[in-house]
Amino acid sequence: MIMSNSVAAQFFKRNEIPAVFRIQNKLVTSEPVAKFLEDIKKKNLQEISLADSNTMKKYLGSTYLTSVPSAHYSLGVECYSTVTSPLRRFNDVINHWQLQNFLTNGRIFEKNNIDFCCLHLMLKEQFNKEIGNKISGFYIYKYLNQLQAEKETQKLRCIVTSAPSSDGLVQVILLDFGVRSVLHTSQFNLKDSDPSIKKIQLSEISVGDIIDDAIIEDVDLIDGTIVLTSPRY
């Protein structure tokens, strides 16, 4: 798929055909970050951990649609224009129209027409993404809310995705559901419910740590926030 879309993009560029390109610029980074990204490139897919993936996302720019052919940094290609799924992507349909009309000496869209399409498609993409996240999130949250009502001590597994904040909040992902949540630690709680349990300090928490005894403290179906606690944190 990537090869097909890359070849199509090169054809558009070589023949100066206005088309919908998806590009991603390389961000300017510090030397440590640049080294981290280069090390990731050398790893096999199986060697890339979830911690690596979450860290890498912080240093990659967003992709966007444009009529100007340019590089797609993450894919490592000179230019990229999707043509492989016209049944589900309208930008692929536009590119098919351009290819067909160019090859049959028909009338192709001008660059200003493609610019307008790119703007419209990007707005639609953002809207669809937000709606999709809310729909899937709602039903996961609803299930977890029912789970909490049926068994309050249900323990969940999650992985740490960011360093703890100064107020003791830790961003995590529920491993069995893929849902981003917040772990509320009791570092500043003077009334510990069980002083016999040794607490893990905030300074000891690292990205990639697995927490296997998280408990749902609160679920807000409207806000879409899950707050977790753990007796060890």
Side-chain angles (χ1 to χ4, degrees):
M1 180 189 71
I2 294 176
M3 177 65 73
S4 299
N5 292 332
S6 177
V7 169
Q10 292 174 24
F11 184 85
F12 285 130
K13 181 180 180 180
R14 184 169 59 251
N15 292 280
E16 299 182 348
I17 306 170
V20 179
F21 296 91
R22 184 173 292 278
I23 72 173
Q24 182 188 47
N25 295 324
K26 180 180 179 180
L27 297 181
V28 178
T29 58
S30 62
E31 288 187 11
V33 172
K35 183 179 183 305
F36 168 78
L37 294 175
E38 286 300 320
D39 291 341
I40 289 292
K41 289 181 181 179
K42 298 175 183 177
K43 291 184 178 182
N44 295 324
L45 185 60
Q46 294 79 5
E47 297 175 332
I48 299 177
S49 65
L50 183 58
D52 288 337
S53 178
N54 279 284
T55 304
M56 182 173 59
K57 288 178 182 178
K58 297 179 182 179
Y59 305 118
L60 296 178
S62 300
T63 65
Y64 56 95
L65 302 177
T66 177
S67 63
V68 180
S70 187
H72 193 299
Y73 175 66
S74 295
L75 296 180
V77 293
E78 179 184 345
C79 49
Y80 193 74
S81 183
T82 56
V83 295
T84 53
S85 296
L87 290 177
R88 65 184 181 89
R89 283 195 300 251
F90 189 68
N91 37 321
D92 292 39
V93 174
I94 294 173
N95 289 334
H96 273 247
W97 284 340
Q98 294 293 81
L99 280 173
Q100 180 178 345
N101 289 330
F102 176 80
L103 296 174
T104 59
N105 296 319
R107 182 181 178 183
I108 63 175
F109 291 121
E110 300 295 333
K111 183 179 181 301
N112 62 320
N113 302 128
I114 300 297
D115 287 335
F116 177 81
C117 290
C118 288
L119 177 60
H120 180 75
L121 289 169
M122 286 187 65
L123 291 174
K124 285 289 187 181
E125 277 189 1
Q126 183 62 31
F127 177 77
N128 291 338
K129 182 179 179 180
E130 292 177 359
I131 293 298
N133 289 340
K134 287 184 178 181
I135 291 174
S136 60
F138 171 80
Y139 286 105
I140 293 174
Y141 297 145
K142 187 174 181 180
Y143 169 74
L144 290 174
N145 197 37
Q146 293 174 346
L147 190 67
Q148 180 188 31
E150 295 170 1
K151 190 175 182 180
E152 294 185 2
T153 57
Q154 175 72 33
K155 294 183 178 180
L156 304 170
R157 296 188 311 131
C158 56
I159 184 169
V160 177
T161 59
S162 67
S165 64
S166 58
D167 53 357
L169 298 179
V170 182
Q171 300 295 325
V172 299
I173 293 179
L174 290 173
L175 289 176
D176 295 326
F177 304 96
V179 178
R180 294 186 178 276
S181 308
V182 175
L183 179 72
H184 188 191
T185 66
S186 58
Q187 301 294 320
F188 306 108
N189 186 1
L190 298 179
K191 295 182 179 180
D192 201 322
S193 58
D194 191 349
S196 64
I197 299 178
K198 183 180 178 181
K199 293 288 185 179
I200 296 177
Q201 301 301 312
L202 290 179
S203 59
E204 300 176 300
I205 301 176
S206 302
V207 174
D209 286 352
I210 302 294
I211 300 171
D212 55 10
D213 59 353
I215 300 171
I216 299 174
E217 181 179 88
D218 186 33
V219 180
D220 189 334
L221 294 179
I222 297 178
D223 186 50
T225 301
I226 297 179
V227 179
L228 307 171
T229 58
S230 167
R232 296 184 296 117
Y233 290 83

